[in-house]
Amino acid sequence: MVTLLAVLFIGALAFINNLISFLLHCLPTTLTILILSKGEYWVPVLFSFALPTMGIAIHQVIKQRNDRFILSLLNTLEAEKETLIDLSMIDPLTGLYNRRGFENRTENALTDTSSVHTLLLLDIDHFKAYNDHYGHMMGDQALTRVSAAIRDAVRSRDIVGRYGGEEFMVLLVNTTPQQANETAERIRQRVYDLSIPHMFNESVATNVTISIGSSQVKNNDMETALSQADQALYSAKNLGRNNILSFDVWSAA
């Protein structure tokens, strides 16, 4: 019995996390003692064997439940992490990508070097005057409606972001120059058709309008495309606003 208890004690310590290994370690000794004692002490022997076996079995059940709980918790944390990452890339006012989110999405889109992309840079005309006169709450409402109009005017695969303030960026994925011009015109018209009153835009219209500069993204060089689109946008503003101007057309003129 002393030998058996020693074997059971050592086995319980060594194989606390593995019931099968414990049984393989202790069962031969238990059977040997039962045979040598001719079954005389079978009750205390079996009790001594069954007690740690039940303890290890219960320990394994609890451990498995804890492991499942921890795994579920890790999966939940990972999902929440992904959600937080996504939220950190979204502009809270418009629901569009912020600059960080836009850059992240465009990096993935530009991996396809066989496609031709066009970058649009958009700016609401005389928006500072709009904010100053109508107030920031009305300004936020105007931004929300304009951003929705932009989003609705492009395809689901195109990437739309708020560049900052009243400026927006759109990456038209895998599109020809003609298609890009048509999309830019559709955006301009949809914003115009919102009919948001803007008395300080009277030199252009009596409602909110938008000016657009565009540039092809060549050799996946977004920095150059952005600079060119900005130059085209600036020229579109100088031409009277509520205009669309392509950098390639403007630079060739």
Side-chain angles (χ1 to χ4, degrees):
M1 283 298 296
V2 173
T3 302
L4 176 61
L5 291 174
V7 171
L8 292 173
F9 178 74
I10 295 171
L13 291 177
F15 306 108
I16 187 67
N17 294 318
N18 194 322
L19 180 61
I20 294 176
S21 297
F22 173 79
L23 293 175
L24 292 175
H25 174 76
C26 299
L27 192 56
T29 304
T30 303
L31 293 175
T32 301
I33 291 175
L34 283 174
I35 293 171
L36 292 178
S37 66
K38 298 179 182 180
E40 184 177 355
Y41 304 108
W42 68 273
V43 174
V45 169
L46 291 181
F47 179 78
S48 300
F49 178 76
L51 193 62
T53 301
M54 291 175 58
I56 293 174
I58 293 171
H59 172 77
Q60 282 202 308
V61 170
I62 295 173
K63 182 177 180 298
Q64 288 174 358
R65 289 184 60 185
N66 288 340
D67 288 346
R68 286 195 296 269
F69 173 75
I70 292 172
L71 182 61
S72 173
L73 184 61
L74 288 174
N75 290 335
T76 302
L77 290 174
E78 187 65 27
E80 290 180 353
K81 177 185 175 183
E82 293 296 326
T83 301
L84 288 173
I85 291 174
D86 291 340
L87 288 175
S88 71
M89 296 185 181
I90 298 296
D91 175 60
L93 176 64
T94 63
L96 302 177
Y97 287 110
N98 56 26
R99 190 179 300 191
R100 175 188 175 190
F102 185 85
E103 291 173 352
N104 183 271
R105 285 295 310 277
T106 53
E107 283 180 6
N108 295 331
L110 294 176
T111 55
D112 183 7
T113 56
S114 63
S115 299
V116 178
H117 310 299
T118 299
L119 179 67
L120 305 181
L121 189 60
L122 313 91
D123 185 83
I124 300 176
D125 297 322
H126 295 299
F127 191 70
K128 184 180 184 303
Y130 184 95
N131 253 342
D132 292 342
H133 178 75
Y134 294 98
H136 288 284
M137 184 176 294
M138 292 294 291
D140 287 349
Q141 291 181 11
L143 284 170
T144 302
R145 294 182 64 188
V146 168
S147 64
I150 296 171
R151 178 70 270 180
D152 292 341
V154 301
R155 303 162 300 180
S156 59
R157 65 183 177 182
D158 296 326
I159 304 167
V160 184
R162 185 182 179 191
Y163 189 57
E166 68 275 20
E167 284 191 314
F168 302 88
M169 288 190 297
V170 180
L171 182 69
L172 302 176
V173 179
N174 194 16
T175 185
T176 65
Q178 181 180 350
Q179 290 172 331
N181 290 335
E182 291 172 355
T183 301
E185 172 57 27
R186 186 162 58 249
I187 293 172
R188 187 203 64 78
Q189 189 63 50
R190 290 207 181 187
V191 171
Y192 186 88
D193 290 342
L194 291 174
S195 299
I196 303 173
H198 188 354
M199 63 181 295
F200 291 95
N201 199 33
E202 58 186 4
S203 62
V204 184
T206 57
N207 52 287
V208 167
T209 58
I210 198 167
S211 298
I212 305 173
S214 69
S215 176
Q216 280 195 357
V217 183
K218 299 175 181 178
N219 301 318
N220 293 343
D221 188 353
M222 279 292 294
E223 186 175 345
T224 298
L226 179 59
S227 174
Q228 293 175 347
D230 187 56
Q231 293 177 57
L233 173 62
Y234 182 79
S235 297
K237 293 278 190 182
N238 288 336
L239 290 173
R241 293 179 168 81
N242 192 30
N243 276 321
I244 302 166
L245 189 61
S246 167
F247 176 82
D248 294 332
V249 173
W250 171 77
S251 60

